[in-house]
Amino acid sequence: MKTKWLEQVDKKEPTTYYDCITGKPLFRAPIGRTFEEFLKESKAHGWPSFRDQEVIWDDVRCLSNGETVSLAGNHLGHNLPDGKGNRYCINLVSVAGIPPKENK
């Protein structure tokens, strides 16, 4: 399965990633690193990889077993700490880089 994420994502400014069910913001990246560093780390692990400063904690929790979930209960991925700190490997289908459309 392929996505157009790499073609669509803003490579100069941080992108907000939204819960695919509720539309609430979950992550904003890259923060504290370049897009190239974000992309390199994500590709190396096969999942978009977010760091603590990129998590929007209002709607994200990390469970004691490392599972990362939205407050709505959506499974997002897992926290896999490494030498740089917490690394949240998130399934791209769980988040969207396009804001939800407003109901009119």
Side-chain angles (χ1 to χ4, degrees):
M1 183 172 146
K2 295 190 177 212
T3 70
K4 293 185 178 190
W5 172 80
L6 194 53
E7 298 167 21
Q8 297 172 336
V9 69
D10 189 330
K11 295 170 184 72
K12 295 183 180 179
E13 296 294 326
T15 296
T16 301
Y17 295 86
Y18 300 87
D19 187 302
C20 67
I21 296 171
T22 66
K24 292 185 177 181
L26 303 174
F27 304 95
R28 185 158 172 79
I31 294 176
R33 56 184 172 160
T34 66
F35 179 80
E36 290 74 22
E37 292 168 326
F38 171 67
L39 183 61
K40 181 179 177 183
E41 181 174 72
S42 295
K43 281 184 171 184
H45 300 290
W47 304 91
S49 295
F50 300 96
R51 296 294 176 166
D52 281 328
Q53 67 270 23
E54 297 168 328
V55 179
I56 300 172
W57 291 108
D58 292 341
D59 285 293
V60 176
R61 294 296 181 268
C62 186
L63 306 180
S64 60
N65 66 358
E67 182 181 8
T68 304
V69 297
S70 71
L71 285 186
N74 186 16
H75 171 83
L76 302 173
H78 295 90
N79 178 23
L80 303 171
D82 62 14
K84 296 178 184 176
N86 291 316
R87 178 171 46 90
Y88 304 92
C89 294
I90 303 302
N91 189 331
L92 191 58
V93 300
S94 298
V95 295
I98 300 171
K101 293 180 181 176
E102 291 184 28
N103 293 332
K104 296 189 178 204

